[in-house]
Amino acid sequence: MRLLASIGIATLLVDYALGACTGMNAADSGACPVSQCASLVDDFSSNDTLASSGTSTQPSNAQFVSELSPDYASITGDGLTLSLVKSGSGYKGSTVYFTKWIEYGVITARIRTGSATPGVISSLQLQDESGTSIDMDWVGNSPNSVQANYYTENQLELSQATSASLSSNPASSFTIYKIVWLPDSLTWYANGFAVRTVNRMDTWAEGEQRFKYPSSASRLSFSIWSASDASNPGLTQQWAGTIPSTSTETQFSMTIARVQVDCYTNTTDAAKSSASPQSSASNDSSFVSPKSVTEVDLSNFGLSSQESTSSLSSSTMSTEGSGNDLSRWLAEQDTPSGARPYLDSN
């Protein structure tokens, strides 16, 4: 029963994070998952960066698309704001998608969540067409924390999420979050410190003869939604709580002040091999000896040496199968001092 409930939650999360795989409007990138990643820095200073699926005329340079109707996403003075609005006896939420597909890279976002009360969920997700997902979630019944999780093909297991405490309430102040998704390692950060690291080699499922690791082109989305809806699986409400029936709040808002996407493409394709960990090095002609991601490499992602050392204290990130491709890409992320002040500021 728990597995069925988990699948139900995974399906629900897919509904909120990947609702229109086949192209939503003129601003969208087209059929799933065709479009290539495009690096981006957006502080949402222009209304033209956001399109709505409910509008016939779309800005040609829109980077994000609001999918749900009614549309409660807008550009405000603080950035991209997604709202959860009371509607009758329930609440209607918001989901916004990046118009490109991402296959490995670094996602950095400065976010103030809307999860100010139990039952309200704010999410940052990367999700492919099969339901494989990389998540950062904020739930109102766990204040001052962020949850880092991933799952493959809708096989969600909430117990594998890692929760990290934050120094301030994420619903009342902005925090910088980062996902570093490489062919052989995946790390979630909050304000420069690693919340969790998963190495692809550790995800081998012998019974299924595959790595249970995100490795397909995925869609970036931001969303805010309510766990209180009666149609949600019971486990969803156990996880996130429910909005109190006595609540007088009619709206909860999540704001993204700035988002940065740095794309990475591994031309060797070795990381997508289905070979077992024992055989991949010997059988894959494109295999290159692992290259550790050092403090210098991490500085290219906007982390200071001190933050990098802290981040690596519990686990080491490695990049099997990427070799010079990764080295080149990491080098390309290095920019002159001051070129990306956003990454190192709160």
Side-chain angles (χ1 to χ4, degrees), residues 6-345:
S6 295
I7 292 174
I9 296 175
T11 302
L12 179 66
L13 293 175
V14 170
D15 289 342
Y16 276 94
L18 198 63
C21 198
T22 56
M24 291 169 286
N25 51 51
D28 197 6
S29 56
C32 170
V34 173
S35 181
Q36 298 296 315
C37 182
S39 294
L40 168 78
V41 178
D42 197 338
D43 61 3
F44 305 104
S45 58
S46 170
N47 288 329
D48 288 345
T49 197
L50 177 66
S52 172
S53 62
T55 304
S56 57
T57 303
Q58 305 293 349
S60 60
N61 59 339
Q63 300 290 348
F64 293 87
V65 179
S66 177
E67 169 64 9
L68 299 183
S69 181
D71 183 1
Y72 294 128
S74 62
I75 304 298
T76 66
D78 289 334
L80 172 62
T81 297
L82 285 61
S83 294
L84 177 69
V85 179
K86 189 170 181 60
S87 177
S89 59
Y91 288 83
K92 299 287 188 181
S94 303
T95 301
V96 168
Y97 308 87
F98 183 37
T99 58
K100 305 295 182 182
W101 290 84
I102 302 167
E103 188 170 4
Y104 307 121
V106 181
I107 310 300
T108 309
R110 188 168 182 260
I111 298 172
R112 182 177 62 211
T113 79
S115 303
T117 191
V120 179
I121 302 164
S122 302
S123 298
L124 181 165
Q125 293 183 308
L126 285 159
Q127 199 158 55
D128 72 12
E129 59 181 335
S130 74
T132 294
S133 181
I134 302 168
D135 300 353
M136 295 192 88
D137 297 304
W138 301 264
V139 295
N141 66 345
S142 298
N144 300 332
S145 68
V146 58
Q147 296 183 17
N149 202 3
Y150 80 101
Y151 53 89
T152 59
E153 298 179 0
N154 282 335
Q155 297 178 14
L156 174 63
E157 181 55 65
L158 291 174
S159 63
Q160 77 174 11
T162 296
S163 181
S165 296
L166 301 172
S167 59
S168 60
N169 188 333
S172 59
S173 60
F174 284 98
T175 301
I176 295 177
Y177 302 95
K178 186 191 302 281
I179 293 175
V180 178
W181 177 31
L182 299 177
D184 262 3
S185 65
L186 173 61
T187 302
W188 297 255
Y189 292 89
N191 275 343
F193 293 91
V195 172
R196 179 184 187 181
T197 294
V198 172
N199 292 305
R200 175 177 174 271
M201 292 294 287
D202 297 330
T203 69
W204 178 253
E206 188 66 29
E208 300 178 45
Q209 289 292 292
R210 69 183 182 98
F211 290 99
K212 301 181 75 170
Y213 181 84
S215 58
S216 299
S218 299
R219 196 74 173 276
L220 168 66
S221 69
F222 300 96
S223 60
I224 183 170
W225 53 287
S226 170
S228 300
D229 194 308
S231 64
N232 291 340
L235 197 57
T236 305
Q237 298 179 358
Q238 293 178 33
W239 167 56
T242 59
I243 298 175
S245 58
T246 56
S247 175
T248 59
E249 295 292 335
T250 59
Q251 180 170 313
F252 302 91
S253 293
M254 170 189 190
T255 299
I256 302 93
R258 189 171 172 115
V259 63
Q260 180 166 320
V261 176
D262 291 302
C263 306
Y264 165 72
T265 300
N266 179 14
T267 57
T268 68
D269 215 30
K272 299 170 98 173
S273 169
S274 59
S276 69
Q278 294 78 12
S279 62
S280 60
S282 58
N283 295 342
D284 189 344
S285 61
S286 62
F287 178 81
V288 182
S289 298
K291 175 186 183 298
S292 296
V293 178
T294 64
E295 284 186 32
V296 174
D297 295 327
L298 285 173
S299 70
N300 293 328
F301 295 147
L303 300 174
S304 68
S305 298
Q306 181 179 2
E307 290 169 336
S308 301
T309 304
S310 267
S311 300
L312 293 176
S313 61
S314 60
S315 59
T316 300
M317 297 168 60
S318 65
T319 53
E320 168 245 344
S322 49
N324 291 335
D325 293 325
L326 176 63
S327 302
R328 187 180 306 111
W329 180 74
L330 286 169
E332 289 171 354
Q333 305 312 302
D334 196 13
T335 55
S337 177
R340 294 190 198 176
Y342 150 63
L343 291 175
D344 296 314
S345 64

